[in-house]
Amino acid sequence: MGEQWTTASMPDQRGRVALVTGANAGLGYETAKALAERGACVVLAVRDVEKGEQAAARMTGDVTVQALDLTSLDSVRTAAAALRSRLDRLDLLINNAGVMYTPKQITRDGFEMQFGTNHLGHFALTGLLLDLMLPVPGSRVVTVSSTGHRIRAAIHFDDLQWERSYGRAAAYGQSKLANLMFTYELQRRLAAHGTTVALAAHPGMSNTELARNTPAALRLPLTWLAPLITQTPAMGALPTLRAATDPAALGGQYYGPGGRNEVKGHPRPVTSSPASYEMAVQQRLWAASEELTGVKFPVAEAEGSPLTSGSAATT
C-alpha cells in the first residue's frame, strides 16, 4: 500500500465495534465519523453527553453515545460497566481524548490533570474493557500520543503529580510519553495471546481546540502561522485510522504524518523518542499506573495466564 493512505484505503468495517474517546469534536469526531461511514458500530465515549448526541447526529451509520469522564476513575468504572452490559465484543478501542497545556489542575482523584486524563484514565479504561477484546481476533487498542512526547519529556517517578513544581509543557510531554510507554508495554504483554494488539498514533500539527490552553505569548503567532504549519482534523485523524484499520499494521507500531518533521501529510509508520523504548521505565510506569488506578489487567481466557510482561519486541 502506497504512502498516500486516506480513508478510501480503509477496508470495510462492517461487523466491527469501535469505541472512541473524546469523539464529539476534533480528531475523535473525524475518527469516529470515518469508522461509522465504513460500517463499524461506533460508540462515542464523551464527557458531555449532549455534545456527543449532537456529534452522533452529524454522522452516518450506527453511532451511539456513552458518558465517560476520564478525570474521574468512578466515571471510568461506571462507563466500563455500562459498556460491558451492552456490548458482547469490542474490536477497536481508540484512546483519543486528551487535554494539553492546562494550567495546574488536579482530577477528582487528585492526579495532575494532563497525566490523569491522558494516561491514567485511558490506562484504567483499557484494563476494564480488555476482556471484551481478547477473544476477538484482530482487535486493536490504539492510543493517541503526540510529538510533544519529545519535548522536556520524562516520567518523573519522584513527582508524578507535579506537586513540587509545575510546567505545563513538561507535564504534557510526560503524559504523551506515558501514552507511548503504555502502548509498548501493553503490546509486549499481549503478544503471547495472539488476538489483540496495541498501537499508537499522533496527528502532527492539527488545527483543533486541543491547543486552546497554549500560553498567550504563543497564541497569536500560532494563529498567523496555522495555515502553514497545521492540517485539518480530518487529515490529523488519518494516522489513528491507519493504525486502527490497515491490515498490514503490526502491534507496537507508531503512526504519524509522513511529511517533513511529521507535521503534516499522509500517515506512515514513524519512530518515537529513544526514551519511549526504555523497557525498565515502561514496566515501572505500568506498576505505578496499576497502583494509582487500582486497575489490574485481565487474564486471557485462551492462555489462562495474566498479562505479565514478556520479551516480545515492541516494533
Side-chain angles (χ1 to χ4, degrees):
M1 187 176 292
E3 288 302 312
Q4 298 301 304
W5 197 95
T6 71
T7 53
S9 309
M10 292 170 57
D12 192 327
Q13 297 297 299
R14 283 177 292 185
R16 305 188 87 193
V17 179
L19 175 71
V20 184
T21 68
N24 60 287
L27 300 172
Y29 174 85
E30 296 295 341
T31 300
K33 176 174 175 286
L35 289 169
E37 287 176 347
R38 283 305 226 184
C41 298
V42 181
V43 181
L44 314 184
V46 298
R47 184 168 59 179
D48 188 322
V49 171
E50 182 177 354
K51 289 182 179 179
E53 295 287 1
Q54 292 170 358
R58 299 194 300 273
M59 297 181 191
T60 301
D62 185 350
V63 183
T64 58
V65 177
Q66 172 62 53
L68 170 68
D69 182 353
L70 290 164
T71 70
S72 164
L73 290 176
D74 283 344
S75 175
V76 172
R77 290 181 184 278
T78 298
L83 290 162
R84 290 164 63 88
S85 70
R86 61 188 274 202
L87 302 177
D88 58 9
R89 64 182 286 159
L90 185 60
D91 297 75
L92 297 174
L93 171 57
I94 298 181
N95 293 322
N96 162 82
V99 293
M100 177 180 176
Y101 294 169
T102 57
K104 180 63 186 295
Q105 300 174 53
I106 60 172
T107 70
R108 297 183 191 181
D109 302 285
F111 306 137
E112 185 275 315
M113 183 62 72
Q114 296 183 88
F115 187 67
T117 304
N118 299 350
H119 170 60
L120 291 175
H122 282 127
F123 179 94
L125 182 69
T126 304
L128 293 167
L129 294 179
L130 195 59
D131 61 356
L132 288 177
M133 307 187 75
L134 290 172
V136 182
S139 53
R140 301 183 185 186
V141 178
V142 179
T143 300
V144 179
S145 183
S146 165
T147 54
H149 85 275
R150 299 177 181 272
I151 301 172
R152 299 179 59 196
I155 306 299
H156 298 274
F157 290 107
D158 60 339
D159 190 18
L160 279 175
Q161 311 308 335
W162 300 84
E163 294 170 324
R164 293 202 295 270
S165 64
Y166 180 72
R168 63 175 72 187
Y172 180 69
Q174 174 178 261
S175 73
K176 294 287 105 179
L177 178 59
N179 286 153
L180 283 164
M181 289 189 152
F182 164 59
T183 296
Y184 297 152
E185 180 63 15
L186 178 59
Q187 173 57 26
R188 186 177 297 111
R189 293 167 181 252
L190 288 168
H193 301 280
T195 53
T196 308
V197 295
L199 304 94
H202 81 83
M205 292 284 286
S206 296
N207 189 10
T208 73
E209 63 177 19
L210 185 64
R212 62 185 177 275
N213 291 309
T214 300
L218 297 176
R219 204 170 298 144
L220 188 56
L222 287 176
T223 299
W224 292 336
L225 291 171
L228 299 176
I229 65 172
T230 65
Q231 57 186 359
T232 65
M235 280 295 294
L238 289 181
T240 301
L241 288 165
R242 186 168 185 182
T245 66
D246 187 343
L250 302 173
Q253 283 188 311
Y254 180 38
Y255 283 86
R260 181 180 296 179
N261 298 321
E262 301 172 25
V263 170
K264 302 168 69 174
H266 293 270
R268 63 176 175 84
V270 296
T271 302
S272 55
S273 68
S276 69
Y277 295 109
E278 294 181 7
M279 188 184 304
V281 182
Q282 295 167 9
Q283 293 171 354
R284 186 178 177 189
L285 175 64
W286 186 284
S289 301
E290 284 190 331
E291 182 177 355
L292 289 167
T293 63
V295 173
K296 301 289 185 181
F297 276 55
V299 171
E301 291 181 8
E303 297 292 333
S305 59
L307 293 175
T308 55
S309 183
S311 58
T314 57
T315 59

